[in-house]
Amino acid sequence: MAKKLRTPLLIVLLVLLASLAGMWAGTFVLADYRDRWVNDGWAAWFESTPEPEPVTEPRFQPLEQFVIGLPGAERNHYMVLELALMSRRPNQVALWEGVLPALRNTTLTYFSGFDHEQVQQQLQDMSRFEQELQTALNQRLESYDYAPSVEAVLITKLVIQ
């Protein structure tokens, strides 16, 4: 009779022990999920993580110096140009590292159609000049499936001789 009582008692003790182990694991393992549920609400479980909002401080990516030949009426001229690209999205600025050669190429291609006189005329309206270059750079970024994230092009050095 004592043997018959031990088997059900042993089963009850094993079930109780397994239940306690499950509660302990649930308390510590799932605590992080519980905190998220409490802090973010149930909708956070069904939403994807949004891209971080743009920061208010601008980030700059300088481009190496360009030396561009400009044909002229009597002789060839040269232009030394340095640019900095600005964005308020730091994650995009970091991604530009992978496409800097393409951005440099876009800048050189932009100037390839100008001669000395045309560049002099373009520089009369510097903001238009920077805006056109910004548009060209953003189009190049889009062609590589990057976000068009160049918010401004700043000419930091310009010498024409």
Side-chain angles (χ1 to χ4, degrees):
M1 170 113 178
K3 194 173 187 180
K4 287 184 179 182
L5 257 167
R6 270 192 222 170
T7 305
L9 186 59
L10 187 59
I11 292 173
V12 169
L13 285 175
L14 286 175
V15 169
L16 182 62
L17 184 61
S19 297
L20 289 174
M23 286 189 297
W24 178 84
T27 300
F28 292 101
V29 174
L30 300 176
D32 186 43
Y33 296 110
R34 187 178 63 233
D35 288 344
R36 182 174 175 197
W37 181 272
V38 170
N39 294 334
D40 299 339
W42 64 272
W45 288 89
F46 301 105
E47 296 175 359
S48 62
T49 305
E51 187 175 323
E53 290 294 318
V55 295
T56 56
E57 291 182 21
R59 306 287 178 157
F60 297 94
Q61 173 66 51
L63 296 181
E64 292 179 26
Q65 178 174 298
F66 295 90
V67 178
I68 301 166
L70 300 171
E74 296 177 18
R75 64 184 176 101
N76 286 336
H77 298 270
Y78 293 94
M79 177 171 65
V80 177
L81 177 69
E82 289 183 11
L83 302 173
L85 309 179
M86 191 271 292
S87 179
R88 288 185 173 87
R89 294 194 275 175
N91 57 340
Q92 291 297 319
V93 174
L95 291 175
W96 290 346
E97 286 293 323
V99 292
L100 282 180
L103 297 178
R104 287 184 55 80
N105 175 263
T106 300
T107 303
L108 289 172
T109 302
Y110 177 78
F111 287 106
S112 68
F114 292 114
D115 63 16
H116 180 256
E117 288 181 32
Q118 290 171 323
V119 168
Q120 293 288 3
Q121 289 173 352
Q122 282 283 91
L123 292 176
Q124 298 302 316
D125 185 5
M126 187 76 84
S127 63
R128 180 175 164 226
F129 175 71
E130 291 172 336
Q131 180 64 39
E132 288 177 1
L133 191 51
Q134 176 188 348
T135 301
L137 291 169
N138 278 328
Q139 287 172 348
R140 177 56 72 97
L141 285 171
E142 286 181 307
S143 75
Y144 285 102
D145 295 327
Y146 285 83
S149 53
V150 176
E151 294 178 39
V153 174
L154 305 171
I155 297 176
T156 56
K157 182 178 185 180
L158 177 66
V159 178
I160 298 177
Q161 65 178 53

